Amino acid sequence: MPSKPAGDPTEFEAARRRLLRHWPQWAALIGAALLGAAVFAFVDLEPKVEGDFFFSTEDPQLQVERRIEERFSTTSQIFVAVRSKQVFSHATLRRLHAFTRALQSIPGVASAQSLTDGLENPADVLERDPAEVREDLLDSPFWPRLLLGRDRGSSFVVLRLREQDAGATVSAIDRVKARFQSSDFDIGISGVPYVSEHIRRGLARDLKTFSGAAIACFAILVAILFRSLAVSVGTMVAALTACFITFLLRAALGMETGILTPNLWTIAFVLTLSHVVYLTASYFRSARESGEPAALSQALRLTGPASVWSLVANLLGFLSLLLAPAKPLREFGISGGIAALAAIACAYGIHPLFLRSARVPRGQAGRLTRSFERFFTTRHPWLALAVAAGALLLAPWSYRVDTDPPLPSYFAAGGEIRDGLEAVDRAGGTSPLDLVVRDAAGGALGDEESFERLMALQRDLEADPAVGSVISIAILMAETDRYWYSFLISWEGRLERLEQPEHDRVGRTFITADRTLGRFILRMHERRGQSRAAIAGRLAERARAHGFEVPLVGGLFKLQGELSELVKGSVVRGLGGLLASFLLITLLTSRSLRVALAMTACLALVPLALFGLVAIIGMQLDIIAAPAANVALPMGIDEMIHLGYAVRRSHGRGGALWSAWRKALAELWAPILVSALIVGAGFALLLLSGFPPTHRLGALACASVVLTDAVVLLVLPALATVVWIGRRRR
């Protein structure tokens, strides 16, 4: 019987008839649907973002926060800055009073203090001359520091929240803000609950939207590039099943959805697609060379060992993040390991069921394909040198990458949230910092001598350019000292009165019952020239200069500084562990120290160049964007290990080393570019995001993909064969 011509429509129709005509394919489809239904029914996919979410309960950083909470009465607070042309005018004060009362009516708000609802009875404030109200306020040591901006052009409304749903409370606050916002009543809001909730919303909204769009993009590109319905269906079923298994196993292990968890959709897809692309390419090649009956078993035999070693390298890289103190990075490492296992299981257990139904392309390669093959099978030493030199020039800058972004950078420039944060920051600081002090000589703090030293420290801290405002036991004691009858009451008596319910037990917030520990609550500026750790250390030294010890330092400002160091250290440790494990694996698989060193050196160029570029352009590397290199490097590992196996097979038959590399490149350049195109297109969708961390993640992931492929296809072949070229010339 004569053979059918390539591309015969009847052959394609026969392939389509074979698709979904076998029960294993239907079992895979039904299984994926059931797993997906279980994920959406039983797994909470909403990210949890709280002030202390970055740390687990056993971390030292969070233990400090817990000790401060135990010793002092602390509640969640939100600071609302109101800027107007005349802070002290009848119109502004009346509007401020109505605004304060609207905030007080919110169920989640325990109290709201402002210029009209703090120092005096609101009715008295509204009836008096605004100039007298201002004069009386400035006579107080305490109230101006709490309620008046340092620029005197704005005032604060301080909200104390109840322990309940922060999301509903923040939504209600935003609605009240929208009602009262005007050109002469400009409102900005800050505070840990407020910022955390809006980060959570932006993350959930964007990553949910763009993860779905990325999945659709993956499906479309797979269909276009392979032009096979069976391959497209098999790829998507395998990748989605890997995603569902990853999320279900995470939930079974008791892990909540965190700020990095939504990225697992893309991670699981990338890891699965990597195996699928190489398996599919090998199947098509084997079918053309040996016939379809033996093609699948031959493809599994050729790609399986390389995929297993890629799995080992990926597992070691992900699990190296277990050494990271930052809770999100540790859980991301565990989740990445689960995704890697699920990806190889689904790629080799599910995709082959559909691969048998795929139409094998048998036509001649087009002109563009032949041009690409000629380019990638030609050694380009000067181009490789240029790529490597560019990466090495960027590498020294990688140590200057900014892993400590300011809070406003988490929101879009010119947006309402960012403008509000910057307004609060200008008026009196955004990030809280707690300094807990005690007398270095072991004395109590409730006497005249300690009061004078505490006030001196108060003034010293306020003079620091990084400090926006300071509230402490010192100014509370000063507030009690300004009344004419204060000499009749001892310091202990005054402190006891501040702990009574009629004063909202404010004394407990700033001094312990045994009078040994005092608390300074600072609101820090986000505009700073030093790291948070350096600034916190400088302020602690100022306290020591006044005869105090500083046993505890906490607050969001300190936690962000700790997180910055953790992100930097975790990324370095994670990538270092990945490179070390990759060196060992390539040494075992290639059986050549020179090839193993060349591959590891090339792989190391990617994160060094990426982070160097980030530092030069001034992009902040927040904890959401930090794992971008961990997305591209597993793909680079797969590419290099598959190349190494292909070179080893060709070189084992004898002949020159470059000939073996040329055969390997001819075999794999297309799968490498296809996987890069699919992954890069998926992450490119994140560039459309209005949430800066998501945007940065997409940009860095795309840059990582481009760098990885340039290194694998250009630099690695030239570097791995440079010794052989030298020998040939000699």
Side-chain angles (χ1 to χ4, degrees), residues 71 228 320 480:
R71 287 163 173 77
S228 169
S320 66
T480 65

Side-chain angles (χ1 to χ4, degrees), residues 25-252:
Q25 294 176 346
W26 280 105
L29 283 169
I30 294 171
L34 291 176
L35 289 172
V39 168
F40 291 104
F42 302 112
V43 179
D44 183 6
L45 299 177
E46 284 292 323
K48 306 294 187 300
V49 181
E50 299 172 2
D52 56 4
F53 178 79
F54 301 123
F55 303 92
S56 62
T57 53
E58 69 272 10
D59 287 326
Q61 294 82 6
L62 198 56
Q63 290 295 324
V64 171
E65 295 297 313
R66 295 290 181 260
R67 288 200 293 272
I68 293 175
E69 290 178 3
E70 291 170 1
R71 287 163 173 77
F72 301 94
S73 175
T74 60
T75 57
S76 298
Q77 289 185 322
I78 289 179
F79 293 89
V80 183
V82 179
R83 189 169 189 85
S84 56
K85 294 178 181 178
Q86 282 188 301
V87 174
F88 292 93
S89 67
H90 284 295
T92 301
L93 291 176
R94 281 194 295 269
R95 191 169 181 81
L96 180 63
H97 175 60
F99 178 55
T100 306
R101 287 302 170 91
L103 293 172
Q104 288 173 343
S105 66
I106 296 173
V109 174
S111 66
Q113 293 178 310
S114 67
L115 294 178
T116 62
D117 295 69
L119 182 62
E120 299 180 40
N121 184 286
D124 296 336
V125 173
L126 296 177
E127 290 177 0
R128 295 180 59 194
D129 181 26
E132 293 180 2
V133 174
R134 180 180 184 275
E135 184 178 348
D136 286 348
L137 180 75
L138 295 179
D139 284 342
S140 168
F142 177 77
W143 293 106
R145 289 177 168 91
L146 181 67
L147 300 178
L148 201 59
R150 297 187 72 171
D151 58 0
R152 298 300 188 256
S154 58
S155 66
F156 284 103
V157 182
V158 182
L159 307 180
R160 186 164 54 87
L161 305 186
R162 294 188 173 93
E163 297 296 331
Q164 59 183 64
D165 183 12
T169 302
V170 169
S171 297
I173 291 172
D174 284 334
R175 289 193 294 270
V176 172
K177 174 188 174 182
R179 280 170 45 202
F180 284 87
Q181 178 83 31
S182 68
S183 59
D184 194 34
F185 201 81
D186 190 26
I187 302 171
I189 306 178
S190 180
V192 175
Y194 188 82
V195 174
S196 299
E197 173 61 18
H198 278 283
I199 289 177
R200 186 199 65 78
R201 291 180 187 178
L203 192 64
R205 180 182 60 251
D206 278 2
L207 288 183
K208 185 182 297 182
T209 301
F210 290 108
S211 293
I215 291 172
C217 180
F218 290 152
I220 293 171
L221 282 175
V222 167
I224 293 174
L225 293 170
F226 285 104
R227 290 174 294 178
S228 169
L229 181 60
V231 171
S232 300
V233 173
T235 299
M236 296 308 297
V237 171
L240 285 172
T241 303
C243 292
F244 297 149
I245 290 174
T246 300
F247 278 87
L248 287 172
L249 288 178
R250 288 185 76 260

Side-chain angles (χ1 to χ4, degrees), residues 308-620:
V308 170
W309 282 111
S310 297
L311 168 66
V312 173
N314 290 330
L315 283 177
L316 291 174
F318 281 121
L319 296 182
S320 66
L321 292 175
L322 293 177
L323 302 175
K327 179 182 176 182
L329 292 175
R330 285 208 303 273
E331 291 194 348
F332 182 75
I334 297 173
S335 303
I338 295 172
L341 290 169
I344 193 170
C346 295
Y348 281 87
I350 295 176
H351 185 61
L353 302 176
F354 297 86
L355 197 54
R356 291 182 182 274
S357 300
R359 179 176 64 92
V360 178
R362 300 185 184 276
Q364 294 293 325
R367 180 179 301 177
L368 182 61
T369 301
R370 293 195 299 270
S371 299
F372 272 115
E373 183 165 338
R374 281 196 302 270
F375 177 80
F376 288 115
T377 55
T378 302
R379 194 170 181 273
H380 300 282
W382 294 110
L383 185 57
L385 181 63
V387 173
L392 291 173
L393 288 174
L394 292 172
W397 293 88
S398 62
Y399 297 98
R400 302 178 61 181
V401 65
D402 182 12
T403 59
D404 188 13
L407 277 179
S409 70
Y410 282 87
F411 302 96
E416 185 178 353
I417 304 299
R418 181 161 181 168
D419 288 347
L421 286 173
E422 291 175 344
V424 175
D425 192 64
R426 288 190 300 269
T430 305
S431 298
L433 175 68
D434 288 332
L435 292 181
V436 177
V437 302
R438 67 183 172 205
D439 184 55
L445 298 181
D447 57 28
E448 186 69 29
E449 187 271 338
S450 62
F451 165 66
E452 292 177 356
R453 286 190 293 123
L454 288 169
M455 276 303 300
L457 175 57
Q458 169 86 22
R459 290 188 290 268
D460 203 4
L461 293 175
E462 289 176 333
D464 193 287
V467 177
S469 63
V470 184
I471 306 294
S472 71
I473 184 58
I475 59 171
L476 272 180
M477 294 170 71
E479 181 72 16
T480 65
D481 195 42
R482 73 188 188 102
Y483 299 101
W484 67 267
Y485 53 83
S486 60
F487 71 95
L488 298 174
I489 307 173
S490 66
W491 284 110
E492 180 61 28
R494 301 179 203 177
L495 293 174
E496 288 179 355
R497 290 188 62 185
L498 291 174
E499 294 176 353
Q500 298 304 311
E502 58 266 25
H503 296 287
D504 289 333
R505 304 187 188 276
V506 67
R508 295 183 180 180
T509 305
F510 294 97
I511 192 167
T512 56
D514 60 5
R515 311 299 186 235
T516 59
L517 296 177
R519 184 184 182 195
F520 285 75
I521 302 178
L522 296 79
R523 298 214 320 269
M524 308 298 295
H525 288 302
E526 287 293 328
R527 295 170 285 118
R528 46 194 164 74
Q530 287 182 295
S531 68
R532 297 177 196 269
I535 293 172
R538 182 178 72 223
L539 298 177
E541 282 301 319
R542 294 196 174 198
R544 296 185 186 100
H546 290 275
F548 296 104
E549 295 178 351
V550 186
L552 299 173
V553 180
L556 179 62
F557 188 84
K558 181 67 162 53
L559 286 177
Q560 284 182 288
E562 297 284 355
L563 182 64
S564 167
E565 297 302 318
L566 293 180
V567 169
K568 188 178 297 184
S570 299
V571 168
V572 170
R573 278 191 296 270
L575 295 178
L578 187 61
L579 292 173
S581 61
F582 181 64
L583 173 62
L584 178 61
I585 290 170
T586 51
L587 184 61
L588 293 173
T589 55
S590 67
R591 300 175 186 175
S592 168
L593 179 61
R594 174 165 52 83
V595 172
L597 290 173
M599 287 185 172
T600 307
C602 288
L603 194 66
L605 289 177
V606 175
L608 290 175
L610 178 68
F611 294 141
L613 181 63
V614 167
I616 288 176
I617 65 177
M619 178 186 291
Q620 285 93 7

Side-chain angles (χ1 to χ4, degrees), residues 1-15 17-18 292 359-363:
M1 181 180 292
S3 60
K4 296 176 183 178
D8 192 334
T10 60
E11 181 181 346
F12 178 68
E13 289 299 321
R17 284 196 298 271
R18 290 197 301 270
E292 292 190 33
R359 179 176 64 92
V360 178
R362 300 185 184 276

